[in-house]
Amino acid sequence: MRKVELLAPAGDLERLKIAFTYGADAVYIGGEIFGMRSAAKNFTKEDMQEGVNFAHEREKQVFVTVNIIPRNAELEQLQKYLIELEEIGVDAVIVSDPGVFTIVKQTIPNMEIHISTQASTTNSGAANFWYNQGAKRVVMARELSFKEIKELRDNTPADMDIEAFVHGAMCMSYSGKCVISNYTTGRDANRGACAQSCRWKYTLVKEETPGNYEPVIEGIDASFFFNSKDLCMIKYIPEIFESGITSLKIEGRMKTAYYVATTVRAYRMAIDEYYKDPDNWKFNPIWLEELKKGSHRDYSTGFFFDRPDSNAHNYKSASYIRNYDFVGIVKGHEEETGLVIVEQRNRMFVNDKIEIIGPFKETMHATILEMYNEEGEPIKSAPHARQVVKMKLDIEVGKDYILRKPIASITTV
């Protein structure tokens, strides 16, 4: 069976390693320049080198975003940056601008090029154009249905990869081409600095007569009328395979290591189950429940089945749904005592009932029986950010396992 790629976001080196540990086949990252997520930590040259080495040791791949729409002055430093990427050994660059594409071909002609979703590829003619220019992969515009992707697949070379977003935040603007952020804050969405102005609260009215304003959308509170629901396609793995998509992309380079682990783990389980018996694959509700234990908005299927209607937006709130706290990540074990060494991410207490997830493992339940600080002194809680603690659990866990616990009420970002 044709293998599909599970492609994960990585905003920094920790998230890159977590993505691969939990089952990603490749990650996409941004350097300190030319990427579309300037607010993410992103990768220094040294971190990028370490990340690429980590990936290649595991026969995985790293793709680097070079997908902003640059100004003339920025092109002067582009060639030097591209040469650095080639020296580091990245596997591909992701571009959207034809000028950047041309410079990549001239500067590092052997580098694999992927065409970003920002290029709005919606038809086989455009996909074939990029392929004939030398692109290996085209990332579909998010506005395509399964039917349209299948038609594109049937009319493009078989060795051209087709990548599509299957999970994560959706932009209300066509292929991300938005100027609202630039207008409202001076932060350019097409240069990596989007303020997500579409998530803000607005009042949408029309002037019926001078000074007389009426709601445009009747019957609902539409204060967040730009606010798209998140995309989630984990129920539709067979349709993804049948459409000809070769890379399943998860959105979220600014999301946490917990989000990366949770999302990659769920899709890895769903894909692997499909490989076992495609004809009898059944959606397991546990996979969706796992996704919902990460920070998310309400889910939709985007454009995959039809053009979204009003149900694809959440008009009442732009807040994330968060039912679980990521409380810690296992860093190893203390040799003398066997205690688990954990780096804290949210407050936790002795006697807490927690859940633990690990790569390619079922969700486990545990109790924190004892906890000690780095000096070995007993403590009742771990309240300090990134505090390293040693603890005794009632189950065995491995490195990079993640500790989480339910929270009493839904909170927002």
Side-chain angles (χ1 to χ4, degrees):
M1 179 187 297
R2 169 182 61 85
K3 293 284 186 179
V4 301
E5 173 187 273
L6 181 57
L7 176 59
D12 60 18
L13 187 57
E14 179 192 45
R15 283 172 273 185
L16 177 148
K17 292 180 178 180
I18 286 292
F20 287 133
T21 299
Y22 276 79
D25 300 304
V27 299
Y28 61 103
I29 68 174
E32 295 178 300
I33 53 177
F34 294 109
M36 285 293 289
R37 291 293 181 271
S38 62
K41 279 187 177 180
N42 292 323
F43 283 70
T44 64
K45 181 179 178 181
E46 293 72 24
D47 281 350
M48 195 179 291
Q49 185 67 73
E50 183 176 343
V52 168
N53 292 344
F54 184 91
H56 290 175
E57 287 166 3
R58 291 156 180 79
E59 298 184 341
K60 310 286 188 178
Q61 293 188 301
V62 176
F63 312 141
V64 176
T65 57
V66 191
N67 60 340
I68 68 164
I69 300 173
R71 301 291 199 271
N72 285 326
E74 292 169 307
L75 296 181
E76 296 175 5
Q77 59 181 326
L78 178 58
Q79 287 181 308
K80 179 183 177 182
Y81 180 59
L82 293 173
I83 291 169
E84 286 183 353
L85 295 182
E86 184 175 53
E87 290 172 347
I88 288 169
V90 304
D91 298 285
V93 293
I94 306 168
V95 306
S96 61
D97 180 75
V100 173
F101 184 97
T102 301
I103 293 171
V104 172
K105 293 297 293 181
Q106 292 171 346
T107 307
I108 46 175
N110 295 320
M111 177 63 69
E112 185 171 303
I113 302 177
H114 299 175
I115 303 303
S116 171
T117 190
Q118 304 292 128
S120 303
T121 303
T122 59
N123 59 76
S124 58
N128 282 317
F129 167 83
W130 287 116
Y131 178 84
N132 291 332
Q133 297 302 310
K136 176 65 171 64
R137 174 179 301 192
V138 178
V139 188
M140 298 292 93
R142 300 195 197 194
E143 294 77 24
L144 294 184
S145 66
F146 278 132
K147 180 177 181 292
E148 291 170 315
I149 294 172
K150 181 66 166 64
E151 290 172 351
L152 187 149
R153 171 78 285 173
D154 291 342
N155 291 282
T156 51
D159 64 340
M160 185 192 80
D161 292 339
I162 291 179
E163 181 181 306
F165 282 93
V166 298
H167 191 90
M170 291 285 284
C171 180
M172 52 71 64
S173 189
Y174 198 93
S175 289
K177 291 181 172 62
C178 180
V179 295
I180 301 176
S181 173
N182 206 341
Y183 180 79
T184 56
T185 68
R187 290 170 52 180
D188 193 339
N190 295 305
R191 293 159 61 77
C194 182
Q196 295 204 28
S197 304
C198 59
R199 307 291 183 189
W200 299 355
K201 188 174 184 178
Y202 295 93
T203 299
L204 181 63
V205 297
K206 57 185 176 181
E207 190 174 19
E208 295 286 359
T209 58
N212 180 27
Y213 297 94
E214 296 292 337
V216 172
I217 305 176
E218 300 286 353
I220 59 173
D221 178 5
S223 299
F224 296 90
F225 59 86
F226 285 143
N227 182 47
S228 302
K229 292 182 179 179
D230 284 359
L231 178 67
C232 179
M233 297 302 293
I234 200 163
K235 291 183 178 181
Y236 307 102
I237 299 300
E239 288 87 345
I240 290 171
F241 273 78
E242 290 161 10
S243 72
I245 294 170
T246 53
S247 179
L248 283 61
K249 189 171 193 174
I250 298 167
E251 181 274 340
R253 278 200 290 128
M254 294 179 66
K255 300 292 182 67
T256 66
Y258 173 60
Y259 169 88
V260 172
T262 302
T263 310
V264 168
R265 176 172 170 263
Y267 276 90
R268 183 78 273 160
M269 290 189 288
I271 292 168
D272 288 351
E273 281 300 310
Y274 184 81
Y275 286 144
K276 291 177 184 177
D277 189 358
D279 294 334
N280 295 299
W281 184 89
K282 291 183 179 179
F283 166 69
N284 187 337
I286 290 174
W287 303 330
L288 182 58
E289 290 306 311
E290 283 296 308
L291 292 174
K292 289 181 176 179
K293 289 180 180 180
S295 184
H296 67 286
R297 300 180 183 90
D298 288 329
Y299 289 132
S300 78
T301 56
F303 288 77
F304 277 106
F305 292 101
D306 203 351
R307 292 185 180 277
D309 57 18
S310 60
N311 292 321
H313 280 59
N314 185 346
Y315 297 107
K316 294 185 177 180
S317 172
S319 300
Y320 282 104
I321 300 167
R322 190 171 137 217
N323 295 311
Y324 278 74
D325 269 338
F326 168 28
V327 295
I329 183 167
V330 176
K331 294 297 184 179
H333 294 78
E334 189 176 59
E335 288 187 12
E336 309 82 49
T337 63
L339 293 173
V340 180
I341 301 170
V342 174
E343 184 178 270
Q344 183 261 32
R345 294 303 171 87
N346 275 290
R347 197 173 186 186
M348 52 186 164
F349 299 84
V350 172
N351 296 323
D352 269 349
K353 305 293 184 183
I354 60 174
E355 292 184 6
I356 300 178
I357 62 171
F360 305 97
K361 299 288 185 181
E362 297 291 332
T363 301
M364 298 173 283
H365 295 80
T367 302
I368 301 176
L369 301 175
E370 301 170 8
M371 196 152 51
Y372 304 87
N373 62 22
E374 288 188 271
E375 288 70 41
E377 301 165 334
I379 55 177
K380 294 294 184 182
S381 68
H384 306 299
R386 301 271 180 162
Q387 178 180 2
V388 175
V389 299
K390 294 173 279 189
M391 64 174 62
K392 182 178 180 182
L393 300 169
D394 55 355
I395 63 171
E396 293 187 5
V397 296
K399 187 177 183 300
D400 294 322
Y401 282 31
I402 284 176
L403 284 59
R404 68 187 181 200
K405 66 177 183 178
I407 52 181
S409 60
I410 295 174
T411 58
T412 62
V413 293

